[in-house]
Amino acid sequence: GKLLSETKEKIYINKLLNYLDNQAKNALKNGYNFKKFKEDCDQMWFKKLKERILSFDKDMNDLDQITSINGIKIPSVHELIKGIDKYFFLEKCIPCIFHGDPSPENVIFDEKNNLKLIDPRPIFGKSSLIGDLYYELAKIDHALLVNGKSIRSNEYSFKINSFNEAQIWIKELKEFEMFRKRIYEFCREKNWSTTNLSLATSLTILSICTVHTNKYYNKFLLLTGKFLLKLSLDKILKKESIYKPLSLSQ
């Protein structure tokens, strides 16, 4: 079979999005505990991230003091997360039968273009069945921006000047940009919140900035997550719609 990351046609991202739509419908059919679902979302989106930020070593804490990224003034990650309307974000979460990591390198199509997901995560919060649709979508979206091809070929970087300002860059692939735009289009068609998706993608990147053995990559993820979260929050503050995916070249 071939991975989603090896394809370039819109038909493949559409198959994955339709699959997730069905997983959301299946969650409603099966029924779920609304209170427990919200608690699981809070755990996965905010409590887990807080724990990981508290685990920052000195280098990561120093990097968090950077005052500007790609020309935009940026506060600490704690201050950024405080800027999220947590109640509104959690209210918008959508239950679905979860996989946990449907990123492009975990999505396979066979010779008949049937979709198969590999490497599922065992649990979302305390649930082994129900997760948040935006968690699934953000796993796809973030991996199309911070994509494995560019990472493995070292086509990404960050630099910090003497004024404590950072510049970050990654080679963004045209076919992946098309996939990202299609995700946002699909969300609008389904009346899913593109604002939640944009925030979710930023939070997803921040939540993985401590988990890799490559410390340079972890630092790149911290700067990238903060930059995208600041862009999202600025648009929310200005009451602007986030109708298309944000990128590092904004």
Side-chain angles (χ1 to χ4, degrees), residues 42-54:
D42 187 27
Q43 171 64 34
M44 295 301 287
W45 285 121
F46 296 104
K47 291 180 180 176
K48 183 173 156 187
L49 177 55
K50 185 178 179 182
E51 288 168 9
R52 289 186 172 176
I53 292 168
L54 287 171

Side-chain angles (χ1 to χ4, degrees), residues 25-43:
K25 289 172 181 171
N26 288 335
L28 288 175
K29 283 180 193 172
N30 289 356
Y32 63 95
N33 183 303
F34 184 78
K35 185 170 179 247
K36 286 183 180 176
F37 169 65
K38 285 294 186 291
E39 288 171 356
D40 288 338
C41 288
D42 187 27
Q43 171 64 34

Side-chain angles (χ1 to χ4, degrees), residues 37 50 100 140 163 192 234 250:
F37 169 65
K50 185 178 179 182
I140 308 164
F163 299 102
W192 299 340
D234 284 351
Q250 298 289 125

Side-chain angles (χ1 to χ4, degrees), residues 66-71 159-167:
I66 290 292
T67 56
S68 169
I69 303 173
N70 286 11
K159 292 179 182 175
I160 300 164
N161 66 21
S162 56
F163 299 102
N164 214 22
E165 298 166 334
Q167 286 289 326

Side-chain angles (χ1 to χ4, degrees), residues 184-196:
Y184 276 71
E185 284 173 5
F186 194 87
C187 285
R188 294 199 305 273
E189 290 164 12
K190 296 293 176 182
N191 209 23
W192 299 340
S193 171
T194 49
T195 297
N196 252 44

Side-chain angles (χ1 to χ4, degrees), residues 1-4 7 12 15 107-117:
K2 57 189 171 186
L3 300 173
L4 177 63
T7 68
Y12 296 105
K15 279 180 177 285
V107 181
I108 298 177
F109 296 93
D110 66 18
E111 62 281 355
K112 293 182 180 177
N113 283 339
N114 294 311
L115 178 149
K116 180 184 178 185
L117 296 179

Side-chain angles (χ1 to χ4, degrees), residues 228-240:
L228 294 174
L229 183 51
K230 182 66 164 68
L231 289 182
S232 299
L233 291 171
D234 284 351
K235 283 188 173 289
I236 292 166
L237 199 60
K238 294 174 186 173
K239 296 185 168 28
E240 293 178 7

